[in-house]
Amino acid sequence: MNEIKLFCPASVANVSCGFDVLGFCLEPIGDEMIIRKTSKKGIHIIKIEGQKLPLETQKNVAGVAGLALLEDYPCDHGFEIEIYKGIKAGSGIGSSAASSAGAVFGINELMGKPLNRNELIKYAMKGEELASGSAHADNVSPVLKGGFTVVRCSKTPDVISLPSPSELHATIIHPKIELRTSDARAVLKKKINLEKAVEQWGNLAALVSGLCTNDYDLIGRSLVDVVIEPHRSALIPGFKELKKAAIDSGALGCGISGSGPSVFALSRGRETALRVQEEMNNTFKKFNIEYELHLSKINSKGIQIISSK
Ligand code: ADP
């Protein structure tokens, strides 16, 4: 195989009580990437369409993640990369993760697949480190593995795949303003109150259990964030109103996607998710900010090969 074309999906991380540990993969939104072998060694990003992003290997998350993989798995040829962005950078739905994960996935396939999807995570995290200053795995894991994933310990992560109840649907609203991950991190408190911590980890454990047992009511009661959302939501115009609209129209829960500005709601069944989408739309159109709305099932596959030759 000399060339591979990929669909690299968007993802939601920081799922309410699962700050920095829980994420899930989306279906209809994503980038495409073409990666091909070249005689020139190293990684060369030769084209980016859809957005203005750096072509320099060391400044692009795809380049940095790919180089990290090549450092451990040296190769006697190089790779060139074309990126067709469908996910806006800084949107909070894993734009950098799609490129980081796509690069390592594609290169690994072209090298004859020495690593599995789990083993690729630590290399994709190098791209995340470039984008946000911290090598987090909560977006790249669901992009590589699909479904919901939980990351235990960020240094040498255990990444655990969780089941996704089949009726679960996500509604995503993406206000077209840029909120940099680094700025969204700056508003967070370094210390948290013990009572809040207890509430948060109780919710996270219950949410994981709800996902494993198809208990939609438990999922709904657990999709609560008492640690991060109270600080970050102030950076997102209309967050309070969007959340009220989503919950009032039947969503199980609603929270900030990644570090924002995107907001997600999870609902049981497509019909409810469509109603939630409509009400979020009615609410946000009053804010005079351009936005996009998406409805998605949980993408259980993660990155997909579109074609290869
Ligand atoms: P998101 O949550 O949407 O991934 P981040 O703020 O984490 O947003 O990452 C976006 C940052 O990463 C921007 O500063 C962007 O310039 C940088 N970046 C570098 N290469 C890429 C790439 N291939 N795709 C997306 N963002 C990239």
Side-chain angles (χ1 to χ4, degrees):
M1 195 198 297
N2 285 311
E3 181 181 305
I4 192 163
K5 186 175 182 187
L6 305 171
F7 175 69
C8 310
S11 52
V12 172
N14 297 339
V15 185
S16 294
C17 46
F19 177 69
D20 264 3
V21 298
L22 187 65
F24 64 86
C25 190
L26 295 169
E27 228 169 43
I29 324 158
D31 299 344
E32 286 186 4
M33 280 176 101
I34 296 176
I35 305 178
R36 68 178 71 82
K37 287 184 190 168
T38 53
S39 51
K40 194 166 142 202
K41 279 196 169 193
I43 292 189
H44 313 280
I45 299 169
I46 59 165
K47 194 196 250 185
I48 301 175
E49 279 185 9
Q51 248 170 89
K52 236 177 130 27
L53 287 166
L55 283 164
E56 296 98 305
T57 307
Q58 296 286 0
K59 289 189 183 163
N60 194 298
V61 299
V64 168
L67 285 177
L69 176 61
L70 290 185
E71 213 173 289
D72 282 358
Y73 292 84
C75 204
D76 55 10
H77 51 78
F79 299 90
E80 58 184 34
I81 300 181
E82 297 176 15
I83 307 175
Y84 300 87
K85 292 301 291 183
I87 318 168
K88 194 179 171 297
S91 57
I93 48 172
S95 178
S96 50
S99 290
S100 306
V104 296
F105 180 88
I107 292 170
N108 184 57
E109 291 287 320
L110 293 172
M111 289 197 302
K113 246 175 158 170
L115 301 175
N116 64 34
R117 289 184 183 229
N118 222 17
E119 290 163 333
L120 290 172
I121 290 169
K122 72 169 184 179
Y123 300 104
M125 285 167 70
K126 291 289 179 190
E128 292 293 70
E129 192 170 10
L130 175 72
S132 68
S134 78
H136 55 99
D138 52 343
N139 279 107
V140 293
S141 301
V143 175
L144 281 163
K145 301 185 71 173
F148 274 87
T149 59
V150 68
V151 180
R152 192 205 67 83
C153 178
S154 61
K155 292 202 175 71
T156 43
D158 274 326
V159 177
I160 302 114
S161 289
L162 302 172
S164 313
S166 61
E167 292 175 66
L168 217 49
H169 285 70
T171 310
I172 311 288
I173 182 163
H174 168 209
K176 297 221 178 148
I177 51 167
E178 184 164 355
L179 180 54
R180 295 177 69 88
T181 304
S182 44
D183 295 340
R185 280 202 177 253
V187 301
L188 301 182
K189 300 263 177 286
K190 290 274 175 285
K191 291 188 176 158
I192 63 171
N193 170 290
L194 182 60
E195 248 173 69
K196 298 265 181 247
V198 171
E199 198 176 337
Q200 191 88 343
W201 61 55
N203 277 323
L204 181 56
L207 176 55
V208 168
S209 170
L211 291 170
C212 292
T213 57
N214 289 320
D215 187 337
Y216 293 93
D217 291 339
L218 184 60
I219 293 171
R221 292 199 298 281
S222 314
L223 277 169
V224 179
D225 174 4
V226 294
V227 173
I228 306 297
E229 191 179 291
H231 304 291
R232 269 201 181 154
S233 54
L235 301 176
I236 302 172
F239 178 80
K240 218 170 68 195
E241 292 84 348
L242 280 169
K243 184 164 178 164
K244 184 174 182 325
I247 303 291
D248 288 353
S249 47
L252 297 167
C254 175
I256 302 167
S257 175
S259 53
S262 290
V263 172
F264 76 93
L266 282 171
S267 306
R268 179 177 192 171
R270 187 175 158 80
E271 219 173 281
T272 308
L274 279 169
R275 202 166 55 233
V276 167
Q277 184 178 23
E278 198 184 323
E279 284 313 310
M280 287 172 98
N281 188 29
N282 289 338
T283 303
F284 204 70
K285 66 186 177 203
K286 297 169 195 144
F287 280 80
N288 279 330
I289 296 171
E290 251 191 85
Y291 61 97
E292 278 176 9
L293 263 164
H294 305 277
L295 187 71
S296 173
K297 287 201 77 173
I298 310 302
N299 174 349
S300 61
K301 296 196 177 99
I303 289 188
Q304 286 296 293
I305 300 173
I306 299 171
S307 61
S308 63
K309 55 187 180 192

